Amino acid sequence: MNRTAIIGGGISGLTLALLLREKGHDVRLFEASDEPGGAIRTTRSPDGWMAEWGPNTIIESSGRIKRLVAMLDLEQRRRYPDSAANKRYIVRGGRMVPVPDSPAALLGTPLLSASAKLSILREPFRRRSRNDHDESLADFVRRRLGEEFLKWPIDALVGGIYAGNPERLSVRHAFPRLALLEEQHGSMILGQLKGGIRRPPGSDEIPRNKAEIFSFDDGLQVLPETISRQLGDAVSFGSAVERIHQEPPDATSPTRQGRRWQLHLSGELQPQDFDTVVYAGTSFGLSGMALPESLSGLLAPVCDIPHPPVTSFTMGFRRSDIAHPLDGFGVLVPGIEGFSILGTLFTSTLFPNRAPDGHVTLTTYLGGSRQPEIAGMDEEKQAALVLADLRKLLGLSGEPLYRHRIHWPRAIPQYETGFGRFLELMDRAEREHPGFYLAGNYRTGISVGDTINAAFDLAERIAGEPGTDQAGKQGGAQVDSGQDDGKK
Ligand SMILES: Cc1cc2nc3c(=O)[nH]c(=O)nc-3n(C[C@H](O)[C@H](O)[C@H](O)COP(=O)(O)OP(=O)(O)OC[C@H]3O[C@@H](n4cnc5c(N)ncnc54)[C@H](O)[C@@H]3O)c2cc1C
């Protein structure tokens, strides 16, 4: 039986452990912290408030995500958002403007000027990119739709998804669907009208406009908690892997050309031996482990993938203290509007059980690439900034009755231009070190849906590599078509 170690108990590592165990591997998962889930974590207070530390929802972007929920017997506990949460707002001119959801609404919306609306009609006639260079999202949007699109809807969206900067993000790596629409149809608008990007035969991908978002009755951490419970003793918490060592070839071993991997864990004198090792931690976490020289040389640049800081603030208020109907998913704020916040989710509109009766919760994000200095401020200064913006936008009058703050010094990996070089290094590290794999949001897409889909792909790939045979191995990173471009 293949003895497999998985380093990291975020959703990537947990899903992979579950799937590999189903495929007959003897799996052990090591998680440095005391809880499963990594970025997915929920705080539930006895008086009825609920706050997510990281993601609030998962997009059901494939049949595999549905399958995972079914495998865990969680279908009864899955919650789709209230229909009241369909509307999305973007700030323009200091006010919240609904994002148009029909051609008629688009014609009338104050979100875009008349000339920006006309640029939508012109988009199908714009020439596609002539060269193969790694274009920034900002240049792509400027070229196809113009500056106004970039400054308002796109900047707002990028703040909400990546907490990132469109001038630095790569359209090909961070928003592969947009790049593919242009490549396959010559136009984003025509491509959408023709049914979106072409999917490979057999793909179980659910088109973005049909994919639903969901959470669970007790919040998103139900998912990693349930996987961890199913894995039972195979998961060790408080177990940071400090060193990965590769044994020299041993002709007597039946696996991996005799190569075995040894993991040195915090607080343990004896290393543990494995045939297969999957690192499913963070990219910056790679620098905290001693690796074989050949691996650390290849992966050193990967440790430096930028992750801007983000603070997430969930606040609870009396319903009567907010003038706005909170009739939507939330509001995103473009940088040009001069607010301190990146955006706010109306979390108890999405899932009413996140606040006691007669109350609401709002989750606000601060910082990102746009204003990293705000993410570095102390809690009281940040709270004052959040409240000031919510007063302007939502007509908030009272003080919060509940507050939950979590600061992520390194929140979300940025797939910036040049990201391809990291993917090549990761592919090479795997190719040159049979039995070693890399998984996680720094490689195959940042959303929870991406990481689950990638875990299914990797489990197939690992299980398809019998013993020493590396024939089934393909370049690991498939960032071409699988990512969720819009999760929040
Ligand atoms: C504020 C915020 C909001 C987000 N919002 C959304 C959203 O709305 N929708 C969405 O889809 N996605 C969202 N995301 C992104 C998504 O949550 C993450 O990309 C995803 O959860 C990453 O999962 P992962 O398993 O790859 O990594 P992680 O969750 O980072 O897990 C890695 C784990 O590895 C462990 N580890 C690292 N090194 C070691 C070691 N040496 N030994 C042992 N353990 C180790 C860490 O302790 C950690 O638990 C958000 C993220 C953040 C931070």
Side-chain angles (χ1 to χ4, degrees), residues 6-14 30-33 35-40 53-59 160-161 220 239-242 265 279-282 284-286 288-289 310-312 345 365 406 408 410-413 439-442 445-451 484 487-488:
I6 294 178
I7 304 169
I11 193 65
S12 296
L14 287 165
F30 302 104
E31 165 54 45
S33 75
E35 298 228 16
I40 303 178
W53 293 39
N56 271 269
T57 54
I58 301 178
I59 184 165
I161 297 174
L220 221 47
S239 290
V241 174
E242 293 179 336
L265 297 160
Y279 178 74
T282 53
F284 51 85
L286 278 165
M289 285 185 307
V310 170
T311 301
S312 163
L345 298 180
Y365 299 97
I406 174 81
W408 299 95
R410 286 182 280 197
I412 293 176
N441 67 357
Y442 58 91
I446 62 158
S447 79
V448 177
D450 291 334
T451 56
D484 294 345
K487 322 160 303 311
K488 284 191 205 160

Side-chain angles (χ1 to χ4, degrees), residues 81-97:
D82 206 271
S83 56
N86 288 344
K87 209 187 274 183
R88 286 159 194 255
Y89 290 94
I90 289 179
V91 174
R92 174 124 201 197
R95 290 190 313 112
M96 285 169 46
V97 179

